[in-house]
Amino acid sequence: MSDGTALAGPDGGLRCPWALSTPDYVTYHDEEWGRPVRGDDALFERLSLEAFQSGLSWITILRRREGFRAAFAGFEIAKVATFDEADRDRLLLDPGIIRNRAKIDATMANARVLAAWAPGELDELIWSHAPASHAVPRTLADVPAVTPESTALSKALKKRGLRFVGPTTAYALMQACGLVDDHLETCVARGR
């Protein structure tokens, strides 16, 4: 059992302990998590996937990501914004995604809201909440679930009409998209 510090991965390099339970996690941790993500469509995808993850394990979403991309038109905001009731019915029957009506409805509604924004506006809003400084976590116990910045981001997104964007979801988005680097101090992926 881990004490929350970095553990040796398959190649001997130290990694965040959560990343070692499956090869899928190792790849995600090493190549994607915590690296800067820019662009409205890319951020819409991450925001949507974080919302679908709420109440589930991330591996459940990660293993269905290609199914989500196919079902939601590559998360192109302009395309998802045109989804109608027939698309909603199709999504509710799609075994390649999480078939949660509230989360599907929120994703479609969020796309409609975002389609009215200026290009780059989602990117600018999200990245404006990146903290000026961030403590380097030594153990998993040092990694927060919510921060003042994630709470502010959540409020800003909700005020603009987005759904399923609570402070914990906002912080997970900040971690996944590189607004903060929560790789542990001795992790091989820290600072990449």
Side-chain angles (χ1 to χ4, degrees), residues 3-184:
D3 61 0
T5 59
L7 298 174
D11 62 358
L14 295 177
R15 285 179 177 76
C16 302
W18 64 263
L20 298 175
S21 62
T22 72
D24 294 336
Y25 265 161
V26 174
T27 301
Y28 176 71
H29 169 273
D30 288 3
E31 298 175 9
E32 191 172 346
W33 191 74
R35 296 200 183 180
V37 174
R38 301 302 296 246
D40 292 345
D41 289 339
L43 289 166
F44 172 60
E45 174 183 358
R46 300 319 193 288
L47 186 64
S48 299
L49 293 177
E50 293 295 346
F52 272 99
Q53 185 271 329
S54 182
L56 303 170
S57 69
W58 179 245
I59 197 68
T60 301
I61 303 304
L62 190 60
R63 288 183 174 157
R64 288 178 171 85
R65 185 159 55 173
E66 290 309 314
F68 275 107
R69 286 176 173 162
F72 284 97
F75 288 98
E76 289 183 44
I77 294 168
K79 289 183 180 177
V80 179
T82 67
F83 281 17
D84 58 17
E85 289 301 313
D87 290 297
R88 179 181 182 232
D89 293 343
R90 169 185 57 81
L91 292 166
L92 287 169
L93 296 173
D94 189 334
I97 67 169
I98 304 302
R99 295 172 286 183
N100 178 296
R101 181 181 307 270
K103 293 175 182 181
I104 289 168
D105 287 346
T107 302
M108 292 169 50
N110 287 348
R112 287 190 289 276
V113 168
L114 293 171
W117 291 17
E121 195 170 351
L122 178 62
D123 186 294
E124 183 179 328
L125 176 64
I126 289 174
W127 278 91
S128 73
H129 287 82
S133 64
H134 185 70
V136 176
R138 297 177 56 117
T139 72
L140 290 180
D142 298 330
V143 178
V146 174
T147 63
E149 294 86 1
S150 74
T151 300
L153 175 57
S154 171
K155 287 179 181 177
L157 292 168
K158 287 178 181 179
K159 184 177 180 180
R160 299 286 305 273
L162 298 182
R163 297 165 36 189
F164 265 92
V165 290
T168 303
T169 297
Y171 193 70
L173 175 74
M174 293 171 78
Q175 291 173 304
C177 294
L179 279 74
V180 296
D181 184 353
D182 273 343
H183 286 285
L184 299 182

